[in-house]
Amino acid sequence: MGNRGMGFYWKLALTNLKKNRRVYLPYLLSSAGIILMFYTICALGPGIDQTAMYGGTSVASVMGLGQFVIGLFAVLFLFYTNSFIIKRRKKELGLYNILGMEKRHIAKILFRETLITACVSLILGLGLGILFSRGMFWLLGVILGTSLPITFVIPASAVTTTLVLFGIIFLLTLLYNLLQVTLAKPIELLHGGEQGEKEPKAHWILAIMGALLLGAGYYMAVTITSPLDALLFFFVAVLLVILGTYLLFITGITALLKLLKKNKNFYYKTNHFTAISGMLFRMKQNAAGLASICVLFTALLVTVSTTFSLYTSMDGLLRARYPRNILMSSQAANEAAKEMIRSAVKEESEKLGLTIENVIDRESWNITMARADNSFSTSSESYSSTYAIAEVFTQSEFQRFSGQNVTLGENQILLFDPAGTFPKSNTLKIDGKEFEIVTSSYQFPDASTVAQIYESYCMVVKDEKIIEQFLPSDSMLLGPNYSYDFDITGNDPQDIKAMAEALNTRTFSGDGIEYEYLYFEDSATSREEFMSLYGGLFFLGMFLGVLFLLGTALIIYYKQVSEGYEDAKRFSIMQKVGMSHQEVKRSIHSQILMVFFLPLLTAVIHLAFAFPMLQKILLIMGLADFQLILFSTLGCVAVFALAYLAIYAITARTYYNIVETSAD
């Protein structure tokens, strides 16, 4: 009898899953999809040879971040979809209870259903994850610009982590379902799927709080001017916007509809009456889900647009970081050391048959300052002002490398402000000493014309004695910095690497040669680091973008199913009170459009307000091309808005099928 009983529960569990396939199949497929993604991101980390790959540690760290984000998303999303399913099934479970089945028997059925769902999801997700991760390894290699250090592996740690995480998630969903059944009375179970039929109340305090939170997040996003502050307060603004979004969707829209309902002249018209009353019930049942769609879609747009902007601008970022192919710098170098560097570059380029061009040959002091209006300060106490880096030259050195003849007095200074950040003034002060500003038409060959995270200036003063007055007492500078930077004609990465290697292996010493240190950098080697970091971020951004799109699609699907069952009843009632079939269909269709396109519109508004803050954060990473960021963002909005429309159109078929068949 025991074995028969066990078989009965298994059979009933399978029958229930089959009967409810309209809601369980998407849940199962989405679970498998999230498992696939989580396993893949876990497997990519061990597949990267961090020692062989330049920047491999950065990529592995990015993959680690991806594990956390996808794991958190899996917990939240699977709990959300599970709660929808158990709500739809409460009537069925209540019927079992009314017909004599005890709650412990229902618990046995739920346990088997969860076990079947978990096993199928894990087998399908891990199987497809192992299969598709090979393609992901290849794709990551293509994005990073290399395929050698990334090898296809099936790490036991990735399999174990996936099994443990999703095993815990399915166990927690089972406990939640059992709790729902255990605490509810049979009559409550019978009507559980119909909860929310009462007209919602307008919670004005929560609605106002939601508006204030959203407004605070928006205000913070558009008023912060410092890139460092933008990075620091970004997550605070995100939290405010998320909380404000949920409160406004749950209470604010209801409060607005209630306000419209009080306007008798507006409310008591056929179209307005059905639309407002219908929307009131929809917002009560769907507010949290719609807010979730909005937050997910906003995260999708922010993630993909920022990572895409960084990836497509890598060449520009690299050139901004390396204005020349090879950078050589030495501190406190005497004339003999400078001549040795120039001769070494000439000799090595001739040996390799390479031609150098666009040479930057100059000596300067780089001084960190803080600017307030037209005054600069070198004291650390003043760093609450605007950061500035000043490259300061003596008059004689400026004349040597520029060919410009200038004659400066003790209280005169030549100021170059390529980004135009210095206020209009004829004078400036440095640590209280006032200088008359002199201008020149000379253009520095590597001067940036865009503001970075700090302001950048070039200054020329009469002599070294004046510069020494501005060096902080705790300065680590042992002397001026000598730069000898140049391009290799043709910009071939192999030529750049060969030249850099030749200079690195050369001995720089001799009689009368003095310098504190000699430092080399080349753009070809650093390009691999850039590819690793920004390519890894782009890969993760696209990966998370697909995940967020999947979540958006599934929530929309479940909303359509939920709306379908509810509207079937309304459809029938509205026809019985005298409205024609077409009037009813038109009324409900307009409400559905308003409900499901509200998150899309709100997400675009969120992104528009977040754009200034995102632009400043990208500035920290070196990306200052406003047009590129703008067009990348607009392109992502267009592409994913079309994807949203496609998801709506596909899921709408399910909705209309439910309405038509259930209402007949």
Side-chain angles (χ1 to χ4, degrees):
M1 182 67 182
N3 290 335
R4 283 187 182 181
M6 296 293 286
F8 168 76
Y9 291 126
W10 282 110
K11 185 176 180 180
L12 196 56
L14 288 168
T15 302
N16 288 342
L17 291 174
K18 185 177 180 181
K19 184 175 64 176
N20 292 286
R21 61 184 176 275
R22 182 173 272 165
V23 291
Y24 267 107
L25 185 59
Y27 176 68
L28 191 148
L29 292 175
S30 61
S31 300
I34 296 173
I35 291 168
L36 180 156
M37 291 185 174
F38 185 78
Y39 166 79
T40 302
I41 208 80
C42 287
L44 285 172
I48 298 169
D49 188 343
Q50 297 183 33
T51 56
M53 179 178 180
Y54 193 78
T57 305
S58 300
V59 183
S61 299
V62 168
M63 296 304 118
L65 174 64
Q67 287 181 39
F68 173 77
V69 174
I70 296 174
L72 181 62
F73 178 85
V75 173
L76 298 175
F77 179 71
L78 293 180
F79 257 91
Y80 174 82
T81 49
N82 173 75
S83 65
F84 169 85
I85 292 172
I86 197 64
K87 181 181 178 182
R88 294 302 316 168
R89 294 195 58 204
K90 277 184 177 180
K91 185 174 182 179
E92 172 193 342
L93 299 175
L95 190 59
Y96 285 151
N97 204 193
I98 293 292
L99 293 175
M101 188 176 285
E102 297 178 20
K103 288 185 177 179
R104 62 188 179 91
H105 298 136
I106 296 174
K108 290 180 180 180
I109 297 171
L110 290 176
F111 169 75
R112 285 160 177 75
E113 289 176 1
T114 305
L115 186 60
I116 292 169
T117 304
C119 289
V120 173
S121 299
L122 285 166
I123 291 170
L124 191 62
L126 280 173
L128 291 175
I130 291 169
L131 182 66
F132 287 121
S133 63
R134 187 174 186 87
M136 291 297 102
F137 274 89
W138 171 81
L139 179 61
L140 181 59
V142 170
I143 290 175
L144 299 183
T146 175
S147 58
L148 294 177
I150 305 172
T151 55
F152 173 68
V153 291
I154 305 176
S157 59
V159 176
T160 305
T161 304
T162 305
L163 288 173
V164 170
L165 174 65
F166 286 91
I168 292 172
I169 293 174
F170 284 117
L171 176 61
L172 292 175
T173 57
L174 172 62
L175 294 175
Y176 172 81
N177 294 345
L178 293 176
L179 192 64
Q180 291 290 305
V181 173
T182 304
L183 296 179
K185 297 176 182 178
I187 194 68
E188 291 174 347
L189 287 174
L190 279 174
H191 296 285
E194 300 172 4
Q195 287 177 1
E197 285 300 307
K198 292 181 181 179
E199 185 175 305
K201 296 179 180 178
H203 299 282
W204 287 100
I205 295 176
L206 291 177
I208 293 170
M209 188 182 297
L212 290 174
L213 288 172
L214 191 63
Y218 283 173
Y219 179 79
M220 190 178 292
V222 298
T223 56
I224 288 177
T225 56
S226 166
L228 293 175
D229 287 343
L231 183 63
L232 182 64
F233 292 105
F234 177 72
F235 291 104
V236 177
V238 167
L239 184 61
L240 290 173
V241 168
I242 289 175
L243 291 174
T245 299
Y246 272 95
L247 284 175
L248 281 179
F249 269 87
I250 293 169
T251 62
I253 297 175
T254 300
L256 177 62
L257 292 170
K258 283 277 191 178
L259 200 62
L260 291 174
K261 188 177 178 181
K262 287 182 179 180
N263 187 334
K264 306 300 181 185
N265 294 329
F266 178 84
Y267 181 63
Y268 287 110
K269 292 181 180 178
T270 305
N271 292 339
H272 297 167
F273 178 84
T274 55
I276 292 175
S277 60
M279 284 291 289
L280 274 169
F281 287 110
R282 289 182 200 284
M283 291 314 300
K284 180 176 178 68
Q285 293 178 313
N286 295 316
L290 294 172
S292 298
I293 294 172
C294 177
V295 170
L296 275 177
F297 205 72
T298 306
L300 162 68
L301 294 176
V302 168
T303 303
V304 176
S305 61
T306 51
T307 54
F308 180 74
S309 298
L310 284 170
Y311 184 70
T312 53
S313 65
M314 271 195 297
D315 288 335
L317 291 173
L318 193 66
R319 192 60 179 178
R321 172 67 181 82
Y322 295 92
R324 297 294 181 266
N325 295 152
I326 295 178
L327 312 181
M328 300 179 66
S329 63
S330 179
Q331 196 169 41
N334 63 4
E335 286 303 321
K338 297 175 190 175
E339 187 56 40
M340 175 190 64
I341 291 171
R342 298 181 189 118
S343 300
V345 171
K346 182 179 179 182
E347 290 172 13
E348 296 300 337
S349 61
E350 289 175 352
K351 287 180 186 177
L352 295 168
L354 302 175
T355 305
I356 67 169
E357 59 185 8
N358 302 326
V359 175
I360 295 175
D361 177 2
R362 65 197 191 203
E363 182 180 70
S364 65
W365 282 258
N366 291 324
I367 305 176
T368 302
M369 302 184 186
R371 182 185 65 79
D373 295 324
N374 69 332
S375 296
F376 293 90
S377 173
T378 59
S379 62
S380 58
E381 292 82 9
S382 302
Y383 283 176
S384 58
S385 304
T386 304
Y387 283 94
I389 297 292
E391 191 174 6
V392 188
F393 305 88
T394 61
Q395 175 180 290
S396 59
E397 175 65 8
F398 176 73
Q399 289 177 336
R400 182 192 69 80
F401 70 75
S402 69
Q404 305 283 312
N405 291 319
V406 292
T407 304
L408 297 173
E410 292 282 339
N411 296 317
Q412 288 183 312
I413 191 167
L414 200 59
L415 178 68
F416 295 90
D417 176 22
T421 52
F422 190 78
K424 290 183 179 180
S425 176
N426 295 322
T427 62
L428 66 79
K429 292 181 180 179
I430 303 178
D431 290 340
K433 181 178 176 63
E434 187 170 80
F435 291 88
E436 176 193 352
I437 296 175
V438 180
T439 59
S440 170
S441 60
Y442 178 75
Q443 296 290 325
F444 278 84
D446 60 336
S448 173
T449 58
V450 291
Q452 301 295 320
I453 60 173
Y454 47 78
E455 295 177 352
S456 181
Y457 301 95
C458 293
M459 301 176 180
V460 181
V461 294
K462 183 178 180 181
D463 52 38
E464 192 172 322
K465 291 180 181 179
I466 296 175
I467 297 174
E468 289 174 350
Q469 296 175 22
F470 308 136
L471 296 178
S473 58
D474 58 347
S475 173
M476 298 298 291
L477 293 176
L478 303 175
N481 183 70
Y482 175 67
S483 299
Y484 193 83
D485 311 330
F486 56 92
D487 281 333
I488 301 295
T489 303
N491 297 324
D492 185 281
Q494 297 304 319
D495 291 342
I496 296 169
K497 280 188 175 183
M499 184 65 180
E501 186 177 346
L503 291 171
N504 269 306
T505 55
R506 187 180 175 110
T507 301
F508 288 87
S509 61
D511 294 336
I513 294 172
E514 298 177 4
Y515 62 88
E516 291 298 329
Y517 71 80
L518 189 59
Y519 184 67
F520 300 88
E521 281 187 282
D522 71 276
S523 59
T525 302
S526 295
R527 182 179 178 80
E528 295 179 6
E529 174 71 25
F530 269 62
M531 289 293 292
S532 298
L533 178 59
Y534 295 143
L537 285 172
F538 176 61
F539 179 85
L540 181 61
M542 294 304 295
F543 210 76
L544 294 179
V546 172
L547 181 70
F548 294 147
L549 191 62
L550 172 68
T552 302
L554 264 293
I555 293 176
I556 289 176
Y557 174 82
Y558 284 124
K559 285 295 127 193
Q560 294 281 34
V561 172
S562 176
E563 291 284 297
Y565 285 119
E566 295 301 326
D567 286 342
K569 302 168 189 175
R570 296 193 188 107
F571 199 92
S572 178
I573 293 169
M574 290 165 78
Q575 282 186 295
K576 288 176 182 178
V577 297
M579 292 181 69
S580 68
H581 182 89
Q582 287 302 319
E583 285 177 330
V584 174
K585 190 171 182 179
R586 187 164 53 248
S587 173
I588 290 179
H589 181 67
S590 65
Q591 294 170 40
I592 288 290
L593 285 175
M594 289 173 68
V595 165
F596 283 98
F597 285 96
L598 189 61
L600 175 61
L601 177 63
T602 310
V604 173
I605 293 172
H606 285 351
L607 181 64
F609 277 97
F611 185 80
M613 184 174 270
L614 293 173
Q615 185 190 357
K616 292 177 180 65
I617 291 172
L618 290 173
L619 199 61
I620 294 176
M621 304 186 78
L623 178 54
D625 190 336
F626 174 80
Q627 285 192 335
L628 187 146
I629 300 171
L630 178 62
F631 288 131
S632 295
T633 304
L634 292 176
C636 288
V637 169
V639 169
F640 287 105
L642 289 174
Y644 189 96
L645 292 174
I647 291 167
Y648 170 78
I650 293 168
T651 56
R653 295 178 185 176
T654 303
Y655 164 80
Y656 285 114
N657 183 44
I658 293 171
V659 170
E660 296 290 347
T661 55
S662 300
D664 289 340

